[in-house]
Amino acid sequence: MDEQPPQRVRVVLAGGERRPRPEAAAREIEEQTPVGEVLVRGLIRTQLALALRVSLLVGLLFGVQPVLFALYPGAARTEVLGLPLPWLLLGLLAYPVVFGIAWAYVRAAERNERHFTDLVNRS
Amino acid sequence: MSDVSPYAVPAIVLITVATLAIGAFGYRISRNTSDFLVASRTVSPRLNASAISGEYLSAASFLGVAGLIMTYGVDMLWYPVGFTAGYLAMLLYVAAPLRRSGAYTLPDFAQARLRSTWVRALATGFVVLIGWLYLVPQLQGAGLTLSTVTGAPAWVGAVVVGVVVTLNVAVGGMRSITFVQAFQYWVKLTAIAFPAMVLLLVWFHRDGAPPPPAPAEWVVPLAGLPGEHPLFATYSLILATFLGTMGLPHVLVRFYTNPDGRAARTTTLVVLGMLGVFYLFPTVYGALGRIYVPELLGEDNADAVVLVLPGAAVGGLPGDLLSGLVAAGAFAAFLSTSSGLLVSVSGVLSTDVLGRWSGSHGSVRDFRRSAMVAGIVPLVLALQAGGLSLSTVVGLAFAVAASTFCPLLVLGIWWRRLTPVGAGAGLLVGGGLSGAAVLLTVLGPPLDGWPGALLAQPAAWTVPAAFAVMVLVSLATPGRVPVDVGRTMVQLHAPERLRLPQR
């Protein structure tokens, strides 16, 4: 985990007595005004587009393997670092690759949320 | 097995007693659900991730994967890859919004999003079905382990784990103990990794790294799979495992213990790391098993390879000690996964079935009675079912989860126009088709050709069918979109730091 200077996130539980007044735009979101509706729709669309892009990448990285090895059986016999290529790809490399993609996704998703929060607080 | 490690039984007893003791201790400090919920808000992502991984790594992961790799070769690596990548799909589409929804179980989510009690009831039914389907191989694995290390008949282990877990859950032991599950992850990782490293050393230094004696189809993809359509089977398995994880009832509950949506993402990321480390090791057992215990191949019990291999390859006192360690790890796997599943199943049974019947709405007494029912049914099934490999049955549970809860969660979280009618229809079609395929595979006559392939790995057609039905029926019933869908969407997706007042 990246242990950057922790950015404190205040979680306000329901029913707190001294809750700060919601910002104007936050109130618009809360009250489902057309402006708030547009803001949230924008965030959902951005996050969904990000998730779909990452899925496409993962689908390509993993999805092509069975077809590739079915079409080119020779490739399956190639040895890399003393291991047959498919064993290396699935047995070893798959895990760091998945982790790396997940790590990059988390950073991007949080960036999207930060932009959204900034946008709401500025307006 | 002929040579039995004298340390295996003490190790199994030790891990069982330790689990019960920690469970009993936890019961004293957390008496009711609200204690649990308040405490849970302080659970850090790392502890929570250990708990999720500890609960998730089951008999299929600890024993089954290595057995499958040993028997069928490289194609079986898709199981552990899929078991891991399932958390990536969960991270992308479900983790943060689900935590923000505040739903504690899948039926809770269905009702909160769709405002429909009958969709909730359907979801309850599938939680119970998937939970039972997943519990059966855990109990079978326990039977296999005990008969391997002691020579006792296979039903003994299943009954022991079934009874221990049921009583423990009914008394309240495992209910809220994040700590127990986190501890089990480290037990399992140690129990699989340390012997694996010793085995690799022995193989490399003492024996000069001989290659596993295996035919070419074991080394090369798509050649060693049973059945006539290996490419279809592979893709269907990928789809089931990648998309099924998010629908497993015992996984979802743990996400509620994250403080907020952001922590839910961090937790999932740590889980991916932890699972990735664990799943490096079953392959070692599968490959080395070919060298040191080839006699397991013929006997239809390759699932025992993890248990037998250390004793056979290392030998002597070190071999006995390592055998004890893997046996303890295997029992940790059965205990933690079955407890998690049983808690989830009895939870929904007591609030949604018994509670509604008796009008007492999920009292502790209902929970205990539900735990009994929830534990006995899979035990009976496990004693009846034989011959299927552990990971195969688990794979079928994933297929049902991917065909029901995956579309419900993904469409529910990302698509405003989902209606209760559409969701219910999709659940019925996806669950009905995949459930029928499971029944025919487990109980029916052996089938060849396309019918056999389609039923043995149903996800490739049942998941798209479920999605299609949910979308089409929802589009056909636009009037039934819940009126408060806008509010729900805000709650699911708006970051907590906006400080929106929660409802």
Side-chain angles (χ1 to χ4, degrees):
Chain A
M1 297 303 76
D2 47 343
E3 302 273 3
Q4 298 160 351
Q7 197 182 356
R8 276 210 75 86
V9 178
R10 243 185 93 182
V11 182
V12 179
L13 300 176
E17 288 111 74
R18 284 185 57 246
R19 190 186 300 117
R21 279 180 72 80
E23 312 284 335
R27 200 182 313 123
E28 295 205 63
I29 290 172
E30 160 67 10
E31 287 163 7
Q32 293 292 299
T33 62
V35 178
E37 184 83 5
V38 168
L39 283 171
V40 173
R41 272 178 196 265
L43 174 71
I44 295 177
R45 207 169 298 134
T46 321
Q47 296 287 48
L48 184 60
L50 171 66
L52 289 172
R53 276 204 305 275
V54 176
S55 306
L56 190 68
L57 174 69
V58 175
L60 281 176
L61 281 177
F62 288 93
V64 297
Q65 288 187 33
V67 167
L68 211 66
F69 289 128
L71 292 178
Y72 305 99
R77 289 167 203 277
T78 349
E79 295 215 345
V80 185
L81 303 171
L83 283 172
L85 185 61
W87 288 80
L88 181 73
L89 290 176
L90 287 180
L92 222 54
L93 291 182
Y95 304 107
V97 165
V98 165
F99 184 82
I101 292 174
W103 181 78
Y105 164 79
V106 169
R107 288 185 51 127
E110 292 191 348
R111 198 168 48 235
N112 289 343
E113 287 185 354
R114 217 158 34 236
H115 284 169
F116 173 77
T117 321
D118 290 348
L119 190 72
V120 170
N121 289 343
R122 233 183 300 126
S123 52
Chain B
M1 298 305 112
S2 51
D3 41 14
V4 169
S5 162
Y7 302 101
V9 173
I12 289 172
V13 172
L14 192 72
I15 196 76
T16 310
V17 171
T19 304
L20 287 172
I22 304 177
F25 175 69
Y27 179 56
R28 294 167 65 99
I29 55 177
S30 83
R31 274 197 188 269
N32 57 38
T33 332
S34 72
D35 276 353
F36 170 40
L37 296 184
V38 175
S40 69
R41 288 187 172 257
T42 61
V43 175
S44 75
R46 212 170 302 177
L47 179 62
N48 210 1
S50 304
I52 292 177
S53 311
E55 201 162 356
Y56 185 64
L57 290 171
S58 66
S61 302
F62 199 91
L63 300 178
V65 167
L68 283 175
I69 292 173
M70 176 170 156
T71 312
Y72 298 112
V74 63
D75 291 301
M76 295 300 130
L77 292 174
W78 281 111
Y79 274 100
V81 168
F83 290 159
T84 311
Y87 279 93
L88 185 60
M90 180 126 188
L91 175 68
L92 295 178
Y93 295 102
V94 177
L98 186 78
R99 172 60 195 92
R100 286 172 180 148
S101 79
Y104 182 57
T105 63
L106 279 159
D108 285 350
F109 173 80
Q111 188 169 29
R113 170 67 178 81
L114 295 165
R115 306 282 160 210
S116 154
T117 45
W118 76 271
V119 177
R120 185 192 173 99
L122 263 182
T124 303
F126 281 113
V127 165
V128 174
L129 178 74
I130 295 169
W132 279 344
L133 202 53
Y134 210 117
L135 268 163
V136 171
Q138 310 306 322
L139 300 174
Q140 282 180 295
L144 173 78
T145 305
L146 221 58
S147 74
T148 303
V149 300
T150 66
W155 60 267
V156 177
V159 170
V160 167
V161 167
V163 169
V164 165
V165 169
T166 306
L167 285 181
N168 199 16
V169 167
V171 171
M174 277 292 231
R175 182 147 19 152
S176 53
I177 320 303
T178 307
F179 187 75
V180 179
Q181 301 286 16
F183 164 72
Q184 305 271 25
Y185 170 75
W186 296 104
V187 171
K188 280 180 255 188
L189 183 64
T190 315
I192 201 153
F194 182 69
M197 289 181 198
V198 175
L199 285 168
L200 280 175
L201 270 178
V202 164
W203 170 72
F204 195 78
H205 278 292
R206 193 190 70 192
D207 300 341
E217 61 260 30
W218 186 77
V219 184
V220 176
L222 305 173
L225 277 176
E228 293 150 54
H229 301 282
L231 201 59
F232 170 83
T234 305
Y235 277 112
S236 206
L237 174 66
I238 293 174
L239 209 60
T241 48
F242 277 46
L243 300 179
T245 306
M246 65 176 78
L248 298 178
H250 61 307
V251 171
L252 224 80
V253 177
R254 290 248 156 244
F255 273 81
Y256 189 81
T257 59
N258 287 296
D260 57 23
R262 223 178 136 219
R265 284 201 194 104
T266 315
T267 299
T268 319
L269 188 61
V270 182
V271 168
L272 278 167
M274 289 179 157
L275 296 181
V277 172
F278 180 91
Y279 282 129
L280 294 175
F281 298 104
T283 317
V284 173
Y285 290 84
L288 296 187
R290 284 237 157 203
I291 303 175
Y292 296 106
V293 283
E295 71 272 12
L296 285 183
L297 279 174
E299 294 177 30
D300 199 31
N301 57 0
D303 279 332
V305 60
V306 173
L307 301 166
V308 184
L309 182 57
V314 180
L317 178 67
D320 282 347
L321 287 171
L322 292 178
S323 298
L325 185 59
V326 287
F331 255 72
F334 313 139
L335 290 174
S336 54
T337 304
S338 2
S339 304
L341 286 164
L342 202 55
V343 170
S344 306
V345 172
S346 20
V348 299
L349 274 184
S350 70
T351 49
D352 283 84
V353 182
L354 264 185
R356 210 136 289 185
W357 244 357
S358 62
S360 54
H361 290 285
S363 65
V364 175
R365 220 179 99 195
D366 284 342
F367 184 85
R368 287 185 180 157
R369 271 190 277 174
S370 308
M372 294 293 175
V373 178
I376 286 166
V377 172
L379 184 55
V380 171
L381 290 176
L383 296 177
Q384 298 294 317
L388 283 166
S389 94
L390 302 177
S391 287
T392 309
V393 181
V394 166
L396 291 170
F398 272 82
V400 178
S403 313
T404 50
F405 291 129
C406 169
L408 177 70
L409 285 165
V410 171
L411 292 175
I413 289 170
W414 298 99
W415 194 49
R416 277 163 204 271
R417 289 196 271 172
L418 182 69
T419 64
V421 191
L427 282 177
L428 281 175
V429 168
L433 291 175
S434 55
V438 170
L439 280 181
L440 280 171
T441 308
V442 177
L443 304 173
L447 291 165
D448 299 322
W450 273 113
L454 289 172
L455 292 178
Q457 293 288 356
W461 55 283
T462 55
V463 175
F467 268 101
V469 169
M470 263 191 211
V471 170
L472 292 176
V473 175
S474 292
L475 288 177
T477 53
R480 303 288 304 276
V481 174
V483 281
D484 64 346
V485 64
R487 262 193 87 113
T488 312
M489 283 297 176
V490 170
Q491 199 195 1
L492 290 177
H493 294 280
E496 284 86 356
R497 74 193 91 162
L498 267 184
R499 298 188 203 138
L500 294 178
Q502 299 193 344
R503 33 177 171 171

